[in-house]
mmCIF file of all heavy atoms in Angstrom:
data_model
loop_
_atom_site.group_PDB
_atom_site.id
_atom_site.type_symbol
_atom_site.label_atom_id
_atom_site.label_comp_id
_atom_site.label_asym_id
_atom_site.label_seq_id
_atom_site.Cartn_x
_atom_site.Cartn_y
_atom_site.Cartn_z
ATOM 1 N N HIS A 90 -74.601 104.871 40.712
ATOM 2 C CA HIS A 90 -75.673 103.915 40.448
ATOM 3 C C HIS A 90 -75.647 103.490 38.978
ATOM 4 O O HIS A 90 -75.770 102.309 38.658
ATOM 5 C CB HIS A 90 -77.010 104.531 40.815
ATOM 6 C CG HIS A 90 -78.201 103.639 40.623
ATOM 7 N ND1 HIS A 90 -78.140 102.377 40.104
ATOM 8 C CD2 HIS A 90 -79.512 103.824 40.894
ATOM 9 C CE1 HIS A 90 -79.325 101.834 40.041
ATOM 10 N NE2 HIS A 90 -80.180 102.702 40.509
ATOM 11 N N LYS A 91 -75.478 104.455 38.080
ATOM 12 C CA LYS A 91 -75.402 104.138 36.653
ATOM 13 C C LYS A 91 -74.181 103.275 36.353
ATOM 14 O O LYS A 91 -74.258 102.324 35.573
ATOM 15 C CB LYS A 91 -75.344 105.420 35.817
ATOM 16 C CG LYS A 91 -76.656 106.140 35.729
ATOM 17 C CD LYS A 91 -76.551 107.400 34.883
ATOM 18 C CE LYS A 91 -77.852 108.141 34.858
ATOM 19 N NZ LYS A 91 -77.768 109.393 34.105
ATOM 20 N N LEU A 92 -73.069 103.603 36.976
ATOM 21 C CA LEU A 92 -71.843 102.836 36.775
ATOM 22 C C LEU A 92 -72.025 101.394 37.241
ATOM 23 O O LEU A 92 -71.642 100.450 36.544
ATOM 24 C CB LEU A 92 -70.688 103.502 37.517
ATOM 25 C CG LEU A 92 -69.286 103.009 37.241
ATOM 26 C CD1 LEU A 92 -68.912 103.224 35.779
ATOM 27 C CD2 LEU A 92 -68.302 103.742 38.141
ATOM 28 N N LEU A 93 -72.633 101.214 38.395
ATOM 29 C CA LEU A 93 -72.887 99.880 38.930
ATOM 30 C C LEU A 93 -73.838 99.103 38.028
ATOM 31 O O LEU A 93 -73.627 97.920 37.762
ATOM 32 C CB LEU A 93 -73.450 99.982 40.347
ATOM 33 C CG LEU A 93 -73.657 98.688 41.106
ATOM 34 C CD1 LEU A 93 -72.330 97.942 41.264
ATOM 35 C CD2 LEU A 93 -74.262 98.963 42.466
ATOM 36 N N SER A 94 -74.872 99.767 37.526
ATOM 37 C CA SER A 94 -75.820 99.124 36.613
ATOM 38 C C SER A 94 -75.135 98.683 35.330
ATOM 39 O O SER A 94 -75.367 97.576 34.834
ATOM 40 C CB SER A 94 -76.971 100.069 36.271
ATOM 41 O OG SER A 94 -77.754 100.320 37.396
ATOM 42 N N ASN A 95 -74.280 99.550 34.784
ATOM 43 C CA ASN A 95 -73.551 99.205 33.565
ATOM 44 C C ASN A 95 -72.602 98.039 33.804
ATOM 45 O O ASN A 95 -72.488 97.143 32.968
ATOM 46 C CB ASN A 95 -72.776 100.412 33.034
ATOM 47 C CG ASN A 95 -73.680 101.478 32.455
ATOM 48 O OD1 ASN A 95 -74.841 101.222 32.149
ATOM 49 N ND2 ASN A 95 -73.158 102.681 32.318
ATOM 50 N N ALA A 96 -71.928 98.044 34.941
ATOM 51 C CA ALA A 96 -71.002 96.955 35.261
ATOM 52 C C ALA A 96 -71.762 95.647 35.413
ATOM 53 O O ALA A 96 -71.311 94.597 34.948
ATOM 54 C CB ALA A 96 -70.221 97.276 36.532
ATOM 55 N N SER A 97 -72.926 95.712 36.035
ATOM 56 C CA SER A 97 -73.748 94.515 36.217
ATOM 57 C C SER A 97 -74.223 93.972 34.870
ATOM 58 O O SER A 97 -74.208 92.759 34.635
ATOM 59 C CB SER A 97 -74.943 94.843 37.106
ATOM 60 O OG SER A 97 -75.755 93.724 37.274
ATOM 61 N N ALA A 98 -74.623 94.859 33.977
ATOM 62 C CA ALA A 98 -75.068 94.436 32.645
ATOM 63 C C ALA A 98 -73.921 93.805 31.866
ATOM 64 O O ALA A 98 -74.101 92.774 31.199
ATOM 65 C CB ALA A 98 -75.638 95.625 31.883
ATOM 66 N N LEU A 99 -72.740 94.390 31.959
ATOM 67 C CA LEU A 99 -71.570 93.817 31.282
ATOM 68 C C LEU A 99 -71.236 92.437 31.839
ATOM 69 O O LEU A 99 -70.902 91.513 31.090
ATOM 70 C CB LEU A 99 -70.363 94.749 31.408
ATOM 71 C CG LEU A 99 -70.381 95.994 30.549
ATOM 72 C CD1 LEU A 99 -69.226 96.909 30.918
ATOM 73 C CD2 LEU A 99 -70.318 95.621 29.072
ATOM 74 N N GLN A 100 -71.316 92.295 33.160
ATOM 75 C CA GLN A 100 -71.038 91.004 33.790
ATOM 76 C C GLN A 100 -72.030 89.954 33.321
ATOM 77 O O GLN A 100 -71.650 88.825 33.007
ATOM 78 C CB GLN A 100 -71.093 91.137 35.325
ATOM 79 C CG GLN A 100 -70.810 89.850 36.057
ATOM 80 C CD GLN A 100 -69.379 89.376 35.896
ATOM 81 O OE1 GLN A 100 -68.475 90.169 35.750
ATOM 82 N NE2 GLN A 100 -69.190 88.070 35.896
ATOM 83 N N SER A 101 -73.299 90.326 33.217
ATOM 84 C CA SER A 101 -74.332 89.395 32.747
ATOM 85 C C SER A 101 -74.068 88.963 31.313
ATOM 86 O O SER A 101 -74.174 87.779 30.979
ATOM 87 C CB SER A 101 -75.714 90.042 32.848
ATOM 88 O OG SER A 101 -76.040 90.285 34.177
#
Side-chain angles (χ1 to χ4, degrees):
H90 181 357
K91 286 180 183 177
L92 191 62
L93 185 60
S94 293
N95 289 343
S97 179
L99 286 172
Q100 180 67 31
S101 295

